[in-house]
């Protein structure tokens, strides 16, 4: 029996007390890991999109919230599809690739997915009146796209270039493919309608990974919305935007909210900054609360173990051995608390992320080590004073009996 | 001489004034002897025993072990002294509650030697020697008082001490069990040559000693060799 065995046995012996001793540190680490996992994904996605989307314009219903770019169109209210025609016929210069969408959250089996209806180019082309917009748009893109064609590699833009999308076909994000175990050619039934997966979209790290794209008119029929849409995406020419394109668009569609993605993204960046600050504040709080709570727990433990510590001293163990078993115990508790906190925070972010902001959060494995290191450091620091006090306990003698 | 103490005093400060629990006491304990200490309650028996075992610092006085003077104020040295040379048997057994009989012994062996397998074997041997080889995985609360005291004796012997100190080892035991335990102590003294110092209230138990000491108010009252 070594001292580490003794420490493990003692931990196990008083395992029910561990829960309360670990609560603060587990929750604390959990909250930080949760916030950080969420905001890292969000920051990364913002960076990608800011880079790629440049001067995109989003037309949303008046009542929609623009706090979160990724989810701005999800479950938003709707406006008539004929607004698209209004836009096209207005012949405002500098408007490219007008792309209407209708988005709703639906369930497939037990999985939540985001169903987005989009119009393929072929259908836009089939409406003579829209063709003009398309041609104009191509010229506009060629003349003022922010920086070259490679920008269009982004999946979000790619899908505007979708040429055909049959009524029974759908495109699916990589997250959906993984969760529902689908591949190209698989069948997918949404609200009793069977779709064929025509294409798997590459991973983007945004809510798009959890989206199913289908033909707008099919989706409208499925959801029973009639000719309604929840957003129009427009490639606007950057110089046109600075020349007051947004104002002109607002004149054409007065009862909508028209904003550039840049504006939405900067709101998002503000949110992310706030999150970072909150997690820093949490980190400071957890260091104090977690350290004090572990220290308090170890202090209670020392008092409970006075006799036993006296016995160890009696049979010849030194003070440093007593420090060792207590600090080791704190270290083990920190380890458990760190692991539990990481799991709690990661699962929490993965579960809550999509619910609140439509962001698919994936685990950040590096935080596993950070969580453990931080939790262990906090626990050890918290245990130092109680361990020091325990060293002062006199060797056992009958006189100390209760 | 195994132990020599000279002018040893232990003063306790209490709210009603200072008290000398051990009062200017000098005593020689020969190697291989079996010393019994008796005396009224509060006469300083436990205090003297704790000082002998290096568990308690005296207020003044000297103590030497094998003719070498001990630095009674150096706590580290005294802990090493305890693990190397002294075994303790207490009235209340003083076993660690969440460790089994075997573990209670091997944790004492671990102070001196980290070889876990070797310690396990030695702990088993010791339990066999006190007749508890079928109780190795029992926890203290699953053992009778007599069995617990045997585990405590086995633990006290773990590191082959030269000096075995026992404070009323039979105080919590019935007469039959007491005799058994006293027999074990006598055997340790005679077969292994371990020096035993035992505090007791019982005149019958005191008869086991070859040197009988009586304390009165922290001073030596009688010191008779048989
Ligand atoms: N920690 C202490 N603080 C103050 N006084 C103490 C302390 N320990 C012992 N004493 C006092 O010292 C004296 C001797 O105590 P000690 O325990 O050595 O007596 P004892 O002979 O072992 O008694 P008993 O037979 O009752 O065990 C007593 O008067 C006791 O009250
Ligand atoms: Mg006593």
């Amino acid at each position: 029996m070594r001292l580490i065995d003794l420490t493990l046995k003692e931990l196990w012996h008083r395992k029910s007390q561990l829960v309360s001793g670990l609560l603060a540190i587990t929750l604390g680490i959990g909250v930080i890991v949760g916030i950080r996992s969420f905001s890292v994904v969000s920051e990364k996605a913002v960076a990608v999109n800011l880079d790629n989307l440049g001067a995109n314009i989003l037309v949303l219903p008046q009542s929609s919230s623009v706090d979160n770019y990724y989810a701005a169109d999800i479950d938003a209210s709707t406006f008539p599809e004929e607004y698209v025609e209004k836009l096209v016929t207005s012949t405002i210069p500098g408007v490219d690739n007008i792309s209407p969408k209708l988005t709703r959250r639906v369930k497939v089996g037990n999985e939540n997915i985001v169903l987005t209806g989009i119009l393929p180019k072929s259908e836009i082309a089939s409406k003579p009146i829209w063709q003009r917009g398309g041609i104009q748009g191509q010229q506009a893109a060629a003349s003022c796209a922010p920086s070259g064609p490679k920008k269009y590699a982004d999946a979000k833009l790619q899908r505007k270039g979708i040429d055909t999308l049959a009524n029974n076909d759908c495109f699916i994000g990589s997250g959906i493919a993984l969760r529902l175990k689908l591949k190209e050619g698989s069948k997918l039934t949404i609200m009793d309608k069977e779709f064929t997966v025509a294409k798997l979209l590459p991973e983007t790290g945004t809510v798009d990974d959890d989206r199913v794209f289908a033909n707008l008119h099919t989706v409208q029929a499925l959801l029973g919305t009639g000719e309604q849409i929840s957003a129009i995406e427009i490639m606007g020419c950057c110089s046109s935007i600075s020349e007051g394109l947004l104002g002109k668009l607002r004149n054409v569609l007065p009862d909508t909210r028209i904003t550039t993605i840049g504006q939405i993204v900067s709101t998002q960046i503000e949110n992310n900054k706030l999150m970072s600050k909150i997690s820093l504040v949490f980190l400071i709080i957890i260091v104090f609360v977690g350290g004090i709570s572990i220290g308090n727990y170890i202090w209670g433990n020392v008092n409970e173990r006075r006799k036993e510590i006296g016995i160890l001293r009696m049979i010849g163990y030194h003070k440093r051995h007593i420090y060792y078993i207590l600090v080791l115990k704190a270290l083990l508790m920190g380890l458990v608390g760190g692991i539990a906190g990481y799991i709690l925070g990661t699962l929490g972010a993965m579960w809550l992320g999509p619910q609140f902001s439509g962001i698919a959060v994936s685990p950040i494995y590096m935080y596993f080590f950070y969580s453990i290191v931080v939790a262990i450091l906090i626990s050890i620091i918290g245990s130092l004073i109680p361990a020091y006090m325990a060293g002062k306990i006199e060797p056992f003698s009958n006189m100390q009996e209760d | 001489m195994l132990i020599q103490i000279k002018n040893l005093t232990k003063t306790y400060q209490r709210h009603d004034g200072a008290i000398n629990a051990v009062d200017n006491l000098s005593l020689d304990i020969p190697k291989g002897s079996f010393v019994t200490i008796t005396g009224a309650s509060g006469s300083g028996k436990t205090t003297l025993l704790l000082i002998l075992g290096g568990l308690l610092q005296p207020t003044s006085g000297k103590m030497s072990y094998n003719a070498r003077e001990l630095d009674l104020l150096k706590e580290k040295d005294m802990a090493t002294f305890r693990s190397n040379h002294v075994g303790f048997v207490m009235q209340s057994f003083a076993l660690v509650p969440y460790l089994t009989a075997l573990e209670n012994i091997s944790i004492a062996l671990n102070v001196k030697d980290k070889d876990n397998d070797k310690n396990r074997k030695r702990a088993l041997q010791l339990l066999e020697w006190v007749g508890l080889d079928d109780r190795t995985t029992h926890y203290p609360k699953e053992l009778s008082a007599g069995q617990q005291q045997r585990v405590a004796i086995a633990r006290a012997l773990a590191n082959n001490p030269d000096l075995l100190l026992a404070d009323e080892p039979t105080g919590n035991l019935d007469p039959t069990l007491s005799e058994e335990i006293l027999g074990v102590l006598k055997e340790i003294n005679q077969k292994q040559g371990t020096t035993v110092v035992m505090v007791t209230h019982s005149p019958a138990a005191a008869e086991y000693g070859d040197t009988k000491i009586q304390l009165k108010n922290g001073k030596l009252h009688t010191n008779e060799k048989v």
Side-chain angles (χ1 to χ4, degrees), chain A residues 73 99-103 116-118 159 211 216 229-231 233:
Chain A
D73 63 332
S99 169
K101 305 195 289 181
L102 174 63
T103 303
T116 297
I118 52 172
R159 106 177 158 250
R211 283 196 206 245
L216 176 63
I229 51 176
S230 46
E233 280 184 7

Side-chain angles (χ1 to χ4, degrees), chain B residues 144-204:
Chain B
S144 72
Q147 288 169 333
Q148 288 186 54
Q149 196 57 300
R150 282 164 188 267
V151 175
I153 292 174
R155 177 185 63 192
L157 295 175
N159 291 314
N160 285 317
D162 311 297
L163 181 61
L164 187 67
L165 300 175
D167 194 359
E168 298 181 38
T170 58
N172 282 348
L173 305 177
D174 65 37
T176 331
L177 276 177
S178 297
E179 250 171 69
E180 262 181 53
I181 294 294
L182 290 167
V184 172
L185 293 177
K186 190 81 193 163
E187 195 179 337
I188 293 164
N189 172 249
Q190 288 180 339
K191 290 208 175 133
Q192 304 183 8
T194 309
T195 306
V196 178
V197 179
M198 177 176 77
V199 167
T200 181
H201 270 127
S202 135

Side-chain angles (χ1 to χ4, degrees), chain A residues 181-252:
Chain A
K181 299 187 184 61
L182 295 171
K183 48 182 194 286
E184 275 175 28
S186 304
K187 301 281 183 221
L188 171 63
T189 306
I190 302 170
M191 300 173 80
D192 296 331
K193 179 164 176 59
E194 191 177 75
F195 289 90
T196 305
V197 176
K199 193 173 175 191
L200 287 184
L201 299 172
E203 189 174 341
T204 61
T206 68
V207 71
D208 283 356
D209 292 344
D210 286 329
R211 283 196 206 245
V212 171
F213 296 100
N215 190 294
L216 176 63
H217 297 126
T218 312
V219 172
Q220 284 171 337
L222 260 188
L223 298 173
T225 56
E227 298 216 326
Q228 295 276 321
I229 51 176
S230 46
I232 305 174
E233 280 184 7
I234 303 169
M235 262 309 280
C237 178
C238 9
S239 58
S240 303
I241 289 178
S242 54
E243 283 158 16
L245 176 59
L246 292 187
K248 287 178 199 161
L249 290 173
R250 280 182 192 125
N251 287 338
V252 177

Side-chain angles (χ1 to χ4, degrees), chain A residues 1-3 5-6 9-10 13 305 308 311 313-319 395-399 401, chain B residues 50 55 75-76 79-80 82 88 90-92 94-95 98-99 103 106-107 110-111 116 139 155 167:
Chain A
M1 169 110 325
R2 294 159 300 173
L3 285 177
D5 303 323
L6 177 127
K9 263 203 108 155
E10 198 272 339
H13 176 67
R305 296 169 74 181
E308 169 207 328
I311 293 171
R313 297 280 282 130
M314 173 184 91
I315 60 182
Y317 280 102
H318 292 213
K319 275 185 181 178
F396 180 85
S397 65
N398 276 339
M399 289 181 295
E401 282 298 284
Chain B
L50 294 177
L55 288 174
E75 210 183 346
K76 261 190 189 166
T80 309
R82 289 198 292 276
F88 295 93
M90 299 293 191
Q91 179 176 359
S92 63
L95 298 172
Y98 56 84
L99 298 184
E103 291 165 343
S106 62
I107 195 70
N110 181 72
V111 183
N116 224 9
Y139 289 91
R155 177 185 63 192
D167 194 359

Side-chain angles (χ1 to χ4, degrees), chain A residues 351-365:
Chain A
W351 183 62
L352 291 175
Q355 314 243 335
F356 282 131
S357 344
I359 294 188
V361 178
S362 47
I364 300 173
Y365 298 109

